[in-house]
């Protein structure tokens, strides 16, 4: 039999404002980094910064893509990235389906 959730056991003597998911924690560890990443990504993509970075990397490699056929770039970044993207898309679709029909997914064919 599962034990009931006891918040005081999880938090100890810490006040609620020091809880792991207090609003200040979420702002400093989630909202600010996500906002910074969004702004930097927007500036790089809209301002042509991605081409600027790629151009400088190209020049650093002697005006040729030295890592074009390297294992790191061809297998890990391209194939691995494609496989990870496919896996995450399937996971998101499965989560959406599971969220849309929680009674069916939890209780089998019981539609109560």
């Amino acid at each position: 039999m599962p034990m009931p959730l006891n918040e005081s056991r999880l938090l100890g003597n810490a006040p609620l404002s020091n809880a792991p998911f207090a609003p200040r924690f979420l702002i400093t560890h989630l909202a600010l980094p996500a906002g910074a990443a969004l702004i930097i990504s927007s500036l790089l993509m809209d301002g042509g910064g991605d081409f600027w970075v790629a151009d400088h990397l190209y020049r650093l490699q002697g005006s040729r893509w030295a890592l074009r056929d390297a294992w790191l770039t061809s297998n890990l970044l391209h194939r691995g990235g494609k496989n990870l993207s496919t896996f995450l898309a399937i996971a998101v679709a499965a989560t959406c389906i599971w969220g849309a029909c929680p009674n069916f997914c939890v209780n089998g064919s019981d539609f109560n």
Side-chain angles (χ1 to χ4, degrees):
M1 177 171 212
M3 294 181 61
L5 180 63
N6 185 354
E7 290 181 10
S8 64
R9 192 182 87 216
L10 293 174
L11 298 175
N13 293 329
L16 190 56
S17 62
N18 290 338
F21 296 110
R24 182 181 170 111
F25 177 85
L26 290 176
I27 290 171
T28 57
H29 290 83
L30 179 67
L32 291 178
L38 181 67
I39 290 170
I40 291 169
S41 294
S42 297
L43 290 174
L44 281 175
M45 285 188 276
D46 292 339
D50 52 347
F51 289 112
W52 179 82
V53 170
D55 186 47
H56 282 283
L57 286 174
Y58 185 74
R59 288 181 190 170
L60 284 172
Q61 296 177 29
S63 296
R64 61 183 180 87
W65 288 115
L67 298 174
R68 181 177 180 181
D69 295 320
W71 178 86
L72 176 73
T73 54
S74 64
N75 288 330
L76 186 64
L77 293 179
H78 289 284
R79 289 187 190 129
K82 180 182 174 185
N83 292 338
L84 179 64
S85 178
T86 302
F87 171 75
L88 292 177
I90 291 170
V92 167
T95 303
C96 290
I97 292 169
W98 182 66
C101 58
N103 290 334
F104 179 75
C105 295
V106 174
N107 299 326
S109 61
D110 185 16
F111 290 101
N112 292 332

Short mmCIF file of all heavy atoms in Angstrom, two decimals, residues 56-110:
data_model
loop_
_atom_site.label_atom_id
_atom_site.label_comp_id
_atom_site.label_asym_id
_atom_site.label_seq_id
_atom_site.Cartn_x
_atom_site.Cartn_y
_atom_site.Cartn_z
N HIS A 56 32.52 31.85 -40.04
CA HIS A 56 33.75 31.91 -39.26
C HIS A 56 34.31 30.52 -38.97
O HIS A 56 35.53 30.32 -39.00
CB HIS A 56 33.54 32.69 -37.97
CG HIS A 56 33.52 34.17 -38.18
ND1 HIS A 56 34.65 34.90 -38.37
CD2 HIS A 56 32.50 35.05 -38.27
CE1 HIS A 56 34.36 36.17 -38.56
NE2 HIS A 56 33.04 36.29 -38.50
N LEU A 57 33.45 29.56 -38.70
CA LEU A 57 33.92 28.18 -38.51
C LEU A 57 34.55 27.65 -39.80
O LEU A 57 35.57 26.96 -39.77
CB LEU A 57 32.77 27.27 -38.08
CG LEU A 57 32.30 27.43 -36.65
CD1 LEU A 57 31.06 26.58 -36.41
CD2 LEU A 57 33.39 27.04 -35.68
N TYR A 58 33.94 27.97 -40.94
CA TYR A 58 34.46 27.54 -42.24
C TYR A 58 35.85 28.12 -42.48
O TYR A 58 36.77 27.43 -42.93
CB TYR A 58 33.48 27.97 -43.32
CG TYR A 58 33.81 27.50 -44.70
CD1 TYR A 58 33.62 26.17 -45.07
CD2 TYR A 58 34.28 28.39 -45.66
CE1 TYR A 58 33.91 25.74 -46.35
CE2 TYR A 58 34.57 27.97 -46.94
CZ TYR A 58 34.38 26.64 -47.29
OH TYR A 58 34.67 26.22 -48.55
N ARG A 59 36.02 29.40 -42.16
CA ARG A 59 37.32 30.05 -42.35
C ARG A 59 38.36 29.48 -41.40
O ARG A 59 39.54 29.36 -41.76
CB ARG A 59 37.20 31.55 -42.14
CG ARG A 59 36.47 32.24 -43.26
CD ARG A 59 36.40 33.72 -43.04
NE ARG A 59 35.51 34.34 -43.99
CZ ARG A 59 35.11 35.58 -43.92
NH1 ARG A 59 35.50 36.35 -42.92
NH2 ARG A 59 34.30 36.08 -44.83
N LEU A 60 37.95 29.16 -40.16
CA LEU A 60 38.90 28.59 -39.20
C LEU A 60 39.41 27.22 -39.65
O LEU A 60 40.50 26.81 -39.25
CB LEU A 60 38.25 28.46 -37.82
CG LEU A 60 38.11 29.74 -37.01
CD1 LEU A 60 37.28 29.48 -35.76
CD2 LEU A 60 39.48 30.28 -36.63
N GLN A 61 38.64 26.53 -40.46
CA GLN A 61 39.03 25.20 -40.93
C GLN A 61 39.75 25.25 -42.27
O GLN A 61 39.84 24.25 -42.98
CB GLN A 61 37.78 24.31 -41.04
CG GLN A 61 37.12 24.06 -39.70
CD GLN A 61 35.85 23.26 -39.84
OE1 GLN A 61 35.69 22.44 -40.75
NE2 GLN A 61 34.92 23.48 -38.93
N GLY A 62 40.25 26.41 -42.64
CA GLY A 62 41.02 26.55 -43.87
C GLY A 62 40.13 26.62 -45.11
O GLY A 62 40.50 26.11 -46.16
N SER A 63 38.99 27.25 -45.01
CA SER A 63 38.01 27.40 -46.11
C SER A 63 37.59 26.05 -46.69
O SER A 63 37.43 25.88 -47.89
CB SER A 63 38.58 28.31 -47.20
OG SER A 63 38.76 29.61 -46.68
N ARG A 64 37.44 25.08 -45.84
CA ARG A 64 36.87 23.78 -46.21
C ARG A 64 36.27 23.19 -44.94
O ARG A 64 36.65 23.53 -43.84
CB ARG A 64 37.93 22.84 -46.78
CG ARG A 64 39.04 22.51 -45.83
CD ARG A 64 40.11 21.62 -46.46
NE ARG A 64 41.17 21.34 -45.50
CZ ARG A 64 41.13 20.34 -44.64
NH1 ARG A 64 40.13 19.51 -44.61
NH2 ARG A 64 42.13 20.16 -43.79
N TRP A 65 35.30 22.32 -45.11
CA TRP A 65 34.68 21.68 -43.95
C TRP A 65 35.52 20.47 -43.57
O TRP A 65 35.33 19.37 -44.07
CB TRP A 65 33.24 21.27 -44.26
CG TRP A 65 32.31 22.43 -44.34
CD1 TRP A 65 31.65 22.86 -45.44
CD2 TRP A 65 31.96 23.33 -43.28
NE1 TRP A 65 30.91 23.97 -45.14
CE2 TRP A 65 31.08 24.28 -43.82
CE3 TRP A 65 32.30 23.43 -41.94
CZ2 TRP A 65 30.53 25.30 -43.06
CZ3 TRP A 65 31.76 24.46 -41.19
CH2 TRP A 65 30.88 25.37 -41.74
N ALA A 66 36.46 20.68 -42.66
CA ALA A 66 37.39 19.63 -42.26
C ALA A 66 36.68 18.48 -41.53
O ALA A 66 37.12 17.34 -41.60
CB ALA A 66 38.49 20.21 -41.37
N LEU A 67 35.60 18.77 -40.87
CA LEU A 67 34.89 17.75 -40.10
C LEU A 67 33.68 17.18 -40.84
O LEU A 67 32.81 16.58 -40.24
CB LEU A 67 34.44 18.33 -38.75
CG LEU A 67 35.56 18.79 -37.83
CD1 LEU A 67 34.99 19.47 -36.60
CD2 LEU A 67 36.43 17.62 -37.44
N ARG A 68 33.64 17.36 -42.15
CA ARG A 68 32.48 16.94 -42.93
C ARG A 68 32.20 15.44 -42.80
O ARG A 68 31.07 15.02 -42.62
CB ARG A 68 32.68 17.30 -44.40
CG ARG A 68 31.53 16.91 -45.26
CD ARG A 68 31.74 17.34 -46.67
NE ARG A 68 30.59 16.96 -47.48
CZ ARG A 68 30.48 17.18 -48.75
NH1 ARG A 68 31.47 17.78 -49.39
NH2 ARG A 68 29.43 16.80 -49.41
N ASP A 69 33.21 14.62 -42.89
CA ASP A 69 33.03 13.18 -42.82
C ASP A 69 33.51 12.58 -41.50
O ASP A 69 33.68 11.37 -41.40
CB ASP A 69 33.77 12.51 -43.98
CG ASP A 69 33.18 12.91 -45.33
OD1 ASP A 69 31.94 12.99 -45.40
OD2 ASP A 69 33.95 13.14 -46.26
N ALA A 70 33.71 13.39 -40.50
CA ALA A 70 34.15 12.90 -39.20
C ALA A 70 32.99 12.18 -38.49
O ALA A 70 31.82 12.48 -38.72
CB ALA A 70 34.64 14.06 -38.33
N TRP A 71 33.31 11.24 -37.64
CA TRP A 71 32.29 10.47 -36.93
C TRP A 71 31.40 11.39 -36.09
O TRP A 71 30.19 11.22 -36.04
CB TRP A 71 32.96 9.43 -36.02
CG TRP A 71 31.94 8.66 -35.24
CD1 TRP A 71 31.28 7.54 -35.64
CD2 TRP A 71 31.45 8.96 -33.94
NE1 TRP A 71 30.41 7.13 -34.68
CE2 TRP A 71 30.48 7.99 -33.60
CE3 TRP A 71 31.72 9.96 -33.01
CZ2 TRP A 71 29.81 7.98 -32.40
CZ3 TRP A 71 31.04 9.95 -31.81
CH2 TRP A 71 30.09 8.97 -31.51
N LEU A 72 32.01 12.38 -35.43
CA LEU A 72 31.26 13.28 -34.56
C LEU A 72 30.17 14.02 -35.31
O LEU A 72 29.02 14.06 -34.87
CB LEU A 72 32.22 14.28 -33.89
CG LEU A 72 31.55 15.34 -33.02
CD1 LEU A 72 31.07 14.72 -31.73
CD2 LEU A 72 32.51 16.46 -32.74
N THR A 73 30.51 14.57 -36.46
CA THR A 73 29.52 15.36 -37.19
C THR A 73 28.55 14.51 -37.99
O THR A 73 27.36 14.80 -38.03
CB THR A 73 30.23 16.36 -38.13
OG1 THR A 73 31.13 15.64 -38.96
CG2 THR A 73 30.95 17.42 -37.36
N SER A 74 29.03 13.46 -38.64
CA SER A 74 28.13 12.68 -39.50
C SER A 74 27.25 11.73 -38.70
O SER A 74 26.06 11.61 -38.98
CB SER A 74 28.92 11.91 -40.55
OG SER A 74 29.75 10.95 -39.95
N ASN A 75 27.80 11.06 -37.71
CA ASN A 75 27.01 10.09 -36.96
C ASN A 75 26.30 10.70 -35.77
O ASN A 75 25.08 10.58 -35.63
CB ASN A 75 27.88 8.91 -36.48
CG ASN A 75 28.29 8.02 -37.62
OD1 ASN A 75 27.57 7.88 -38.59
ND2 ASN A 75 29.45 7.43 -37.49
N LEU A 76 27.06 11.34 -34.90
CA LEU A 76 26.48 11.83 -33.66
C LEU A 76 25.54 13.01 -33.89
O LEU A 76 24.39 12.98 -33.45
CB LEU A 76 27.59 12.22 -32.68
CG LEU A 76 27.12 12.62 -31.29
CD1 LEU A 76 26.47 11.43 -30.60
CD2 LEU A 76 28.29 13.12 -30.47
N LEU A 77 25.99 14.02 -34.59
CA LEU A 77 25.16 15.20 -34.75
C LEU A 77 24.03 15.01 -35.76
O LEU A 77 22.89 15.36 -35.49
CB LEU A 77 26.02 16.40 -35.16
CG LEU A 77 27.00 16.88 -34.09
CD1 LEU A 77 27.81 18.06 -34.60
CD2 LEU A 77 26.27 17.25 -32.82
N HIS A 78 24.32 14.48 -36.93
CA HIS A 78 23.30 14.37 -37.96
C HIS A 78 22.37 13.18 -37.74
O HIS A 78 21.15 13.35 -37.61
CB HIS A 78 23.94 14.31 -39.35
CG HIS A 78 24.53 15.62 -39.76
ND1 HIS A 78 23.76 16.67 -40.18
CD2 HIS A 78 25.81 16.05 -39.78
CE1 HIS A 78 24.54 17.71 -40.45
NE2 HIS A 78 25.79 17.35 -40.22
N ARG A 79 22.91 11.99 -37.69
CA ARG A 79 22.05 10.81 -37.51
C ARG A 79 21.46 10.76 -36.11
O ARG A 79 20.29 10.46 -35.92
CB ARG A 79 22.82 9.53 -37.81
CG ARG A 79 23.10 9.37 -39.27
CD ARG A 79 23.72 8.02 -39.58
NE ARG A 79 24.18 8.01 -40.96
CZ ARG A 79 25.38 7.66 -41.35
NH1 ARG A 79 26.26 7.25 -40.46
NH2 ARG A 79 25.71 7.68 -42.62
N GLY A 80 22.31 11.02 -35.11
CA GLY A 80 21.83 11.02 -33.72
C GLY A 80 20.78 12.09 -33.49
O GLY A 80 19.77 11.86 -32.81
N GLY A 81 21.00 13.27 -34.05
CA GLY A 81 20.02 14.35 -33.93
C GLY A 81 18.70 14.00 -34.60
O GLY A 81 17.62 14.30 -34.08
N LYS A 82 18.79 13.38 -35.76
CA LYS A 82 17.58 12.96 -36.48
C LYS A 82 16.81 11.91 -35.67
O LYS A 82 15.59 12.00 -35.52
CB LYS A 82 17.95 12.40 -37.84
CG LYS A 82 16.77 11.94 -38.65
CD LYS A 82 17.22 11.34 -39.98
CE LYS A 82 16.04 10.74 -40.71
NZ LYS A 82 16.44 10.07 -41.93
N ASN A 83 17.53 10.93 -35.12
CA ASN A 83 16.88 9.90 -34.33
C ASN A 83 16.28 10.47 -33.04
O ASN A 83 15.18 10.09 -32.65
CB ASN A 83 17.86 8.78 -33.99
CG ASN A 83 18.26 7.99 -35.21
OD1 ASN A 83 17.57 7.98 -36.22
ND2 ASN A 83 19.40 7.33 -35.13
N LEU A 84 16.98 11.38 -32.39
CA LEU A 84 16.46 12.01 -31.18
C LEU A 84 15.22 12.83 -31.50
O LEU A 84 14.23 12.78 -30.77
CB LEU A 84 17.52 12.89 -30.53
CG LEU A 84 17.09 13.64 -29.27
CD1 LEU A 84 16.75 12.65 -28.16
CD2 LEU A 84 18.18 14.59 -28.83
N SER A 85 15.24 13.57 -32.60
CA SER A 85 14.09 14.36 -33.01
C SER A 85 12.88 13.48 -33.30
O SER A 85 11.75 13.78 -32.90
CB SER A 85 14.45 15.19 -34.25
OG SER A 85 13.35 15.92 -34.68
N THR A 86 13.10 12.36 -33.97
CA THR A 86 12.01 11.42 -34.26
C THR A 86 11.46 10.83 -32.98
O THR A 86 10.23 10.76 -32.79
CB THR A 86 12.51 10.29 -35.18
OG1 THR A 86 13.03 10.87 -36.38
CG2 THR A 86 11.40 9.31 -35.51
N PHE A 87 12.33 10.42 -32.07
CA PHE A 87 11.90 9.86 -30.79
C PHE A 87 11.07 10.87 -30.00
O PHE A 87 10.02 10.55 -29.45
CB PHE A 87 13.11 9.41 -29.97
CG PHE A 87 12.76 9.03 -28.56
CD1 PHE A 87 12.13 7.83 -28.29
CD2 PHE A 87 13.06 9.88 -27.51
CE1 PHE A 87 11.80 7.48 -26.99
CE2 PHE A 87 12.74 9.54 -26.22
CZ PHE A 87 12.10 8.34 -25.95
N LEU A 88 11.53 12.12 -29.94
CA LEU A 88 10.80 13.15 -29.19
C LEU A 88 9.46 13.47 -29.83
O LEU A 88 8.48 13.72 -29.13
CB LEU A 88 11.66 14.41 -29.05
CG LEU A 88 12.88 14.25 -28.16
CD1 LEU A 88 13.71 15.53 -28.15
CD2 LEU A 88 12.49 13.86 -26.74
N ALA A 89 9.39 13.44 -31.16
CA ALA A 89 8.10 13.67 -31.84
C ALA A 89 7.11 12.55 -31.51
O ALA A 89 5.93 12.81 -31.25
CB ALA A 89 8.32 13.75 -33.35
N ILE A 90 7.60 11.32 -31.48
CA ILE A 90 6.73 10.19 -31.11
C ILE A 90 6.31 10.31 -29.64
O ILE A 90 5.14 10.06 -29.30
CB ILE A 90 7.45 8.85 -31.39
CG1 ILE A 90 7.59 8.66 -32.90
CG2 ILE A 90 6.70 7.68 -30.75
CD1 ILE A 90 8.49 7.50 -33.28
N ALA A 91 7.22 10.72 -28.78
CA ALA A 91 6.89 10.89 -27.36
C ALA A 91 5.85 11.98 -27.16
O ALA A 91 4.92 11.83 -26.36
CB ALA A 91 8.16 11.20 -26.56
N VAL A 92 5.96 13.09 -27.89
CA VAL A 92 4.97 14.17 -27.79
C VAL A 92 3.62 13.70 -28.30
O VAL A 92 2.59 13.95 -27.67
CB VAL A 92 5.46 15.42 -28.55
CG1 VAL A 92 4.34 16.43 -28.73
CG2 VAL A 92 6.63 16.06 -27.82
N ALA A 93 3.61 12.98 -29.43
CA ALA A 93 2.34 12.46 -29.96
C ALA A 93 1.70 11.48 -28.98
O ALA A 93 0.49 11.53 -28.74
CB ALA A 93 2.58 11.79 -31.31
N ALA A 94 2.50 10.59 -28.40
CA ALA A 94 1.97 9.63 -27.43
C ALA A 94 1.43 10.33 -26.20
O ALA A 94 0.37 9.96 -25.66
CB ALA A 94 3.05 8.63 -27.04
N THR A 95 2.12 11.37 -25.74
CA THR A 95 1.64 12.13 -24.59
C THR A 95 0.33 12.83 -24.90
O THR A 95 -0.57 12.86 -24.06
CB THR A 95 2.71 13.16 -24.16
OG1 THR A 95 3.92 12.47 -23.88
CG2 THR A 95 2.27 13.94 -22.94
N CYS A 96 0.20 13.39 -26.10
CA CYS A 96 -1.05 14.04 -26.49
C CYS A 96 -2.20 13.03 -26.56
O CYS A 96 -3.30 13.31 -26.10
CB CYS A 96 -0.89 14.74 -27.84
SG CYS A 96 0.16 16.19 -27.77
N ILE A 97 -1.94 11.88 -27.12
CA ILE A 97 -2.97 10.84 -27.20
C ILE A 97 -3.35 10.37 -25.80
O ILE A 97 -4.53 10.22 -25.48
CB ILE A 97 -2.49 9.67 -28.08
CG1 ILE A 97 -2.38 10.13 -29.53
CG2 ILE A 97 -3.43 8.47 -27.95
CD1 ILE A 97 -1.67 9.14 -30.44
N TRP A 98 -2.36 10.15 -24.95
CA TRP A 98 -2.62 9.69 -23.59
C TRP A 98 -3.40 10.74 -22.81
O TRP A 98 -4.29 10.42 -22.03
CB TRP A 98 -1.30 9.38 -22.90
CG TRP A 98 -1.46 8.87 -21.51
CD1 TRP A 98 -2.03 7.70 -21.12
CD2 TRP A 98 -1.04 9.52 -20.31
NE1 TRP A 98 -1.98 7.58 -19.76
CE2 TRP A 98 -1.38 8.69 -19.23
CE3 TRP A 98 -0.40 10.73 -20.06
CZ2 TRP A 98 -1.10 9.03 -17.92
CZ3 TRP A 98 -0.13 11.06 -18.75
CH2 TRP A 98 -0.48 10.21 -17.69
N GLY A 99 -3.07 12.03 -23.02
CA GLY A 99 -3.79 13.10 -22.33
C GLY A 99 -5.21 13.28 -22.84
O GLY A 99 -6.10 13.70 -22.11
N ALA A 100 -5.45 12.95 -24.12
CA ALA A 100 -6.78 13.11 -24.69
C ALA A 100 -7.73 12.01 -24.24
O ALA A 100 -8.94 12.23 -24.19
CB ALA A 100 -6.69 13.12 -26.21
N CYS A 101 -7.23 10.85 -23.89
CA CYS A 101 -8.11 9.75 -23.48
C CYS A 101 -7.56 9.08 -22.22
O CYS A 101 -7.19 7.92 -22.25
CB CYS A 101 -8.26 8.74 -24.60
SG CYS A 101 -6.71 8.02 -25.15
N PRO A 102 -7.53 9.80 -21.08
CA PRO A 102 -6.94 9.22 -19.88
C PRO A 102 -7.69 8.01 -19.35
O PRO A 102 -7.08 7.09 -18.84
CB PRO A 102 -6.96 10.37 -18.88
CG PRO A 102 -8.03 11.27 -19.35
CD PRO A 102 -8.03 11.13 -20.85
N ASN A 103 -9.01 7.98 -19.49
CA ASN A 103 -9.77 6.84 -18.97
C ASN A 103 -9.46 5.58 -19.75
O ASN A 103 -9.31 4.51 -19.18
CB ASN A 103 -11.27 7.12 -19.02
CG ASN A 103 -11.67 8.17 -18.01
OD1 ASN A 103 -10.99 8.35 -17.00
ND2 ASN A 103 -12.73 8.88 -18.29
N PHE A 104 -9.38 5.68 -21.05
CA PHE A 104 -9.09 4.51 -21.87
C PHE A 104 -7.68 4.00 -21.62
O PHE A 104 -7.45 2.81 -21.50
CB PHE A 104 -9.29 4.83 -23.35
CG PHE A 104 -8.99 3.67 -24.25
CD1 PHE A 104 -9.86 2.61 -24.34
CD2 PHE A 104 -7.81 3.64 -24.98
CE1 PHE A 104 -9.58 1.53 -25.15
CE2 PHE A 104 -7.52 2.57 -25.79
CZ PHE A 104 -8.42 1.51 -25.89
N CYS A 105 -6.73 4.92 -21.53
CA CYS A 105 -5.34 4.51 -21.38
C CYS A 105 -5.04 3.95 -19.99
O CYS A 105 -4.20 3.09 -19.85
CB CYS A 105 -4.41 5.69 -21.65
SG CYS A 105 -4.50 6.27 -23.35
N VAL A 106 -5.75 4.40 -18.98
CA VAL A 106 -5.50 3.94 -17.62
C VAL A 106 -6.31 2.71 -17.29
O VAL A 106 -5.81 1.74 -16.74
CB VAL A 106 -5.80 5.07 -16.61
CG1 VAL A 106 -5.68 4.56 -15.19
CG2 VAL A 106 -4.85 6.22 -16.83
N ASN A 107 -7.58 2.72 -17.66
CA ASN A 107 -8.48 1.65 -17.25
C ASN A 107 -8.78 0.64 -18.35
O ASN A 107 -9.73 -0.10 -18.27
CB ASN A 107 -9.80 2.23 -16.76
CG ASN A 107 -9.59 3.13 -15.56
OD1 ASN A 107 -8.71 2.87 -14.76
ND2 ASN A 107 -10.38 4.17 -15.46
N GLY A 108 -8.05 0.63 -19.41
CA GLY A 108 -8.31 -0.28 -20.50
C GLY A 108 -9.54 0.16 -21.28
O GLY A 108 -9.60 1.28 -21.74
N SER A 109 -10.51 -0.70 -21.40
CA SER A 109 -11.70 -0.36 -22.21
C SER A 109 -12.80 0.23 -21.36
O SER A 109 -13.93 0.37 -21.83
CB SER A 109 -12.20 -1.62 -22.91
OG SER A 109 -12.57 -2.58 -21.93
N ASP A 110 -12.53 0.61 -20.12
CA ASP A 110 -13.53 1.20 -19.24
C ASP A 110 -13.69 2.69 -19.58
O ASP A 110 -12.76 3.47 -19.43
CB ASP A 110 -13.10 1.03 -17.79
CG ASP A 110 -14.16 1.51 -16.82
OD1 ASP A 110 -15.32 1.69 -17.22
OD2 ASP A 110 -13.81 1.68 -15.64
#
